[in-house]
C-alpha cells in the first residue's frame, strides 16, 4: 500500500480524477486529495472525500489544518505526489516555483517524487510557454506524462486530453516501484569550476583555450544527482545548467577566483576549469592592425586551486584537474604536492578530449594512481561523484 497525494487542478478533466481515486483505492493505495481553487468548480470535496475515504484539502488559510497538519507535513506524508489534471496554469506556476495556494505550496515543499498528468486545450499544450515549462519541470526531476491525443471538450482535436485514469494509475505504480534515488551528499555543499576563462586583450579580443566545460558541468550535475547543494562557477561556455545546480557565470580568472571565494564554505571543491594562466593589461580601445608596437605583456593569473587549498576555509576535500599533453602521471603527482590538494584527476588532452564526449583519466590520491578506462564524460563524472560521496561519508 502506498500513500498518494493527489493534487487536482481546475480543468474539465477534473471529473476523471474521481475515477482515478476510485481505481487507486481499488488497487489498495491510500489517496489524499488537494483541490485547487479552480478544481472546486468542477468536482466537489464531498465526492472526493467519499471516494478517498479521507479529508480533502483545498485552502492554505485553513488555520485548523495548519495546526493539525501543515502543508509541509501534507507534502511529506506521501510516497508520491500526483497532479491530475495538471492544467497549463498549474504547470506554469510549478515551473516558476510559486507558492500562492495550497497545491503549489505543497509542490514546492515536497521531498517526494512528483508525477504530473497534463490536460489542456491542444493550442495551450503546444504553446511555446507550455513547452518551456514542461521542459523546465522535467529538468527539475518532475515526471510529466504526455497527454492523450483526440477530441477535446472544447471541440478541437489534438494532444491535450488527460491520459485515461487506468494509464495514470499504471504510471503511478511504475514510479512507485522505482528505487528511491540514493542521496549520500544531501547535507553537503560542493563547489565546482568549469570551462575556460577569457582574458581581454582589448574591447573585442581575448586570450582563451579550448575547454568546452563539458566535464565540469557533468561533474556538477552528478554531484547534484547525489543530493549535494552545488555551486558551479562557469567560465564562458554554451551549455545548459544541469538540474539542481546553482550556476554563477564569470568571464576572467580573477572573476572566477572572487566567485569561488564568495561561494565558501564548501565540503568539497572540484576545480575543473581550464583557467587561463596569464592575462594582459587590456587596451582601452581596439588595437589597430598597423600598430607596430603590439606586444602582449603577460601577467600571471592567481592560482585559484592552490589558493583554495591553502585558505583557512579549505574544503575538506580539494580536487584539481591536470590537463597535460605529455608525461601525464608524472606531472599530476608533482602537481598534487605542489598545489596542496587531496586528489588530482589527470588526463591527456593531446587528442580530442577538449570539447569531445569521452575522457580517459587517472585519479591521483595519497594512495597512489588509478587508471580509469576511457569513458563518456558523464560516466567519469558519476564515478567521481561516487568516490567523493564515499570519501566525505567515510
Ligand atoms: O597548474 P595547472 O593549470 O595545470 O593546474 C590545473 C588545475 O588547477 C585545475 O584544477 C585548474 O582548475 C586549477 N587552476 C586554478 N587556477 C589557475 C590555474 C589552474 O584553479 N590559475
Amino acid at each position: 500500500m502506498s500513500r498518494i497525494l493527489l493534487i487536482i487542478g481546475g480543468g474539465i478533466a477534473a471529473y476523471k480524477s474521481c475515477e482515478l481515486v476510485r481505481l487507486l483505492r481499488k488497487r489498495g493505495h491510500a489517496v489524499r486529495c488537494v483541490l485547487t481553487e479552480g478544481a472546486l468548480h468542477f468536482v466537489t470535496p464531498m465526492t472526493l472525500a467519499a471516494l478517498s475515504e479521507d479529508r480533502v484539502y483545498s485552502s492554505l488559510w485553513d488555520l485548523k489544518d495548519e495546526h493539525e497538519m501543515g502543508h509541509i507535513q501534507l507534502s511529506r506524508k506521501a510516497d508520491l505526489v500526483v497532479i491530475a489534471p495538471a492544467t497549463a496554469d498549474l504547470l506554469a506556476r510549478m515551473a516558476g516555483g510559486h507558492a500562492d495556494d495550497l497545491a503549489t505550496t505543497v509542490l514546492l515543499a515536497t521531498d517526494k517524487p512528483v508525477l504530473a498528468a497534463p490536460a489542456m486545450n491542444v493550442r495551450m499544450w503546444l504553446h511555446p510557454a507550455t513547452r518551456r515549462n514542461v521542459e523546465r519541470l522535467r529538468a527539475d526531476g518532475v515526471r510529466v506524462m504526455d497527454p492523450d491525443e483526440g477530441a477535446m471538450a472544447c471541440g478541437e482535436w489534438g494532444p491535450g486530453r488527460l491520459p485515461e485514469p487506468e494509464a495514470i494509475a499504471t504510471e503511478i505504480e511504475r514510479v512507485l516501484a522505482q528505487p528511491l534515488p540514493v542521496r549520500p551528499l544531501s547535507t553537503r555543499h560542493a563547489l565546482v569550476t568549469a570551462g575556460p576563462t577569457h582574458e581581454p586583450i582589448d574591447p573585442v579580443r581575448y586570450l582563451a583555450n579550448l575547454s568546452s566545460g563539458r566535464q565540469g558541468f557533468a561533474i556538477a550535475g552528478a554531484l547534484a544527482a547525489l543530493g549535494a547543494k552545488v555551486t558551479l562557477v562557469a567560465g564562458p561556455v554554451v551549455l545548459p545548467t544541469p538540474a539542481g545546480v546553482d550556476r554563477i557565470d564569470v568571464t576572467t580568472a580573477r572573476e572566477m577566483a572572487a566567485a569561488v571565494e564568495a561561494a565558501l564554505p564548501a565540503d568539497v571543491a572540484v576545480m575543473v576549469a581550464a583557467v587561463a594562466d596569464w592575462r594582459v593589461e587590456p587596451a582601452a580601445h581596439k588595437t589597430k592592425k598597423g600598430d607596430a608596437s603590439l606586444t602582449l605583456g603577460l601577467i600571471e593569473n592567481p592560482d585559484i586551486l592552490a589558493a583554495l587549498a591553502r585558505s583557512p576555509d579549505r574544503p575538506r576535500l580539494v580536487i584539481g584537474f591536470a590537463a597535460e599533453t605529455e608525461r601525464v602521471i608524472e606531472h599530476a603527482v608533482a602537481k598534487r604536492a605542489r598545489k596542496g590538494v587531496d586528489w588530482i584527476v589527470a588526463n591527456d588532452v593531446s587528442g580530442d578530449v577538449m570539447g569531445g564526449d569521452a575522457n580517459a583519466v587517472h585519479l591521483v590520491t595519497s594512495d597512489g594512481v588509478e587508471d580509469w578506462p576511457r569513458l563518456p564524460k558523464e560516466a567519469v563524472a558519476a564515478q567521481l561523484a561516487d568516490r567523493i560521496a564515499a570519501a566525505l561519508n567515510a
Side-chain angles (χ1 to χ4, degrees):
M1 199 244 345
S2 298
R3 297 164 307 172
I4 294 154
L5 185 71
L6 175 64
I7 295 176
I8 303 174
I12 180 61
Y15 79 89
K16 288 196 192 169
S17 60
C18 300
E19 174 65 7
L20 177 61
V21 175
R22 200 186 62 79
L23 270 176
L24 290 170
R25 293 290 297 131
K26 208 168 95 186
R27 294 188 188 193
H29 304 294
V31 186
R32 179 167 281 161
C33 298
V34 170
L35 274 69
T36 65
E37 192 62 37
L40 291 168
H41 294 282
F42 294 96
V43 285
T44 74
M46 181 85 83
T47 314
L48 289 156
L51 290 169
S52 66
E53 298 166 82
D54 199 350
R55 270 205 61 177
V56 172
Y57 297 80
S58 62
S59 171
L60 187 56
W61 307 116
D62 190 337
L63 289 180
K64 197 157 159 278
D65 286 346
E66 283 302 302
H67 179 66
E68 268 178 10
M69 177 176 317
H71 54 272
I72 307 282
Q73 270 173 296
L74 195 57
S75 74
R76 306 272 165 90
K77 278 197 172 164
D79 301 304
L80 175 68
V81 181
V82 178
I83 311 133
T87 59
D89 178 65
L90 197 44
L91 292 173
R93 289 193 294 139
M94 283 170 76
H98 291 218
D100 54 1
D101 64 0
L102 183 60
T104 48
T105 306
V106 161
L107 285 162
L108 203 60
T110 192
D111 56 355
K112 296 294 160 22
V114 178
L115 171 71
M120 66 197 73
N121 166 273
V122 53
R123 290 278 151 239
M124 291 168 84
W125 174 250
L126 296 175
H127 194 284
T130 306
R131 308 280 78 236
R132 216 163 40 231
N133 292 332
V134 168
E135 202 174 301
R136 176 75 258 175
L137 289 167
R138 285 181 173 151
D140 289 347
V142 175
R143 294 158 175 87
V144 184
M145 292 178 75
D146 283 321
D148 278 357
E149 200 167 314
M152 328 207 94
C154 52
E156 291 184 43
W157 177 278
R161 287 165 54 100
L162 185 74
E164 287 307 320
E166 278 282 355
I168 301 175
T170 303
E171 184 63 12
I172 286 172
E173 289 184 333
R174 201 184 62 79
V175 174
L176 285 169
Q178 283 170 0
L180 278 181
V182 193
R183 299 171 76 80
L185 291 175
S186 60
T187 59
R188 313 289 186 179
H189 179 209
L191 175 57
V192 180
T193 64
T197 63
H198 286 179
E199 310 295 332
I201 298 171
D202 68 21
V204 296
R205 303 184 177 94
Y206 55 82
L207 295 174
N209 59 62
L210 288 176
S211 169
S212 65
R214 290 184 54 177
Q215 185 64 78
F217 272 57
I219 290 169
L223 290 165
L226 295 189
K229 168 179 154 54
V230 180
T231 307
L232 169 63
V233 181
V237 293
V238 277
L239 288 175
T241 309
V245 168
D246 292 324
R247 171 175 179 174
I248 299 165
D249 285 311
V250 296
T251 305
T252 67
R254 286 191 295 175
E255 285 168 18
M256 187 173 275
V260 163
E261 205 183 314
L264 294 173
D267 299 287
V268 54
V270 195
M271 306 279 100
V272 197
V275 183
D277 290 318
W278 303 281
R279 66 178 184 276
V280 297
E281 205 53 69
H285 298 288
K286 186 181 169 193
T287 313
K288 293 280 175 258
K289 226 179 277 175
D291 195 340
S293 65
L294 183 63
T295 50
L296 295 178
L298 297 177
I299 311 163
E300 207 166 311
N301 263 332
D303 190 316
I304 304 166
L305 177 62
L308 184 68
R310 290 191 188 98
S311 117
D313 283 334
R314 185 192 198 279
R316 216 172 97 203
L317 187 59
V318 177
I319 305 169
F321 267 63
E324 305 286 352
T325 54
E326 35 116 42
R327 308 218 309 272
V328 177
I329 303 220
E330 189 185 322
H331 282 137
V333 171
K335 192 165 293 183
R336 181 176 168 270
R338 191 172 67 244
K339 299 214 186 198
V341 303
D342 301 297
W343 301 352
I344 286 276
V345 180
N347 55 352
D348 186 337
V349 291
S350 53
D352 59 357
V353 166
M354 281 196 160
D357 298 329
N359 208 352
V361 306
H362 313 273
L363 181 65
V364 183
T365 71
S366 59
D367 295 334
V369 182
E370 278 175 35
D371 303 319
W372 291 8
R374 189 178 159 85
L375 293 165
K377 285 180 175 173
E378 287 69 26
V380 171
Q383 205 161 309
L384 187 65
D386 283 342
R387 290 294 290 267
I388 291 169
L392 289 181
N393 294 334

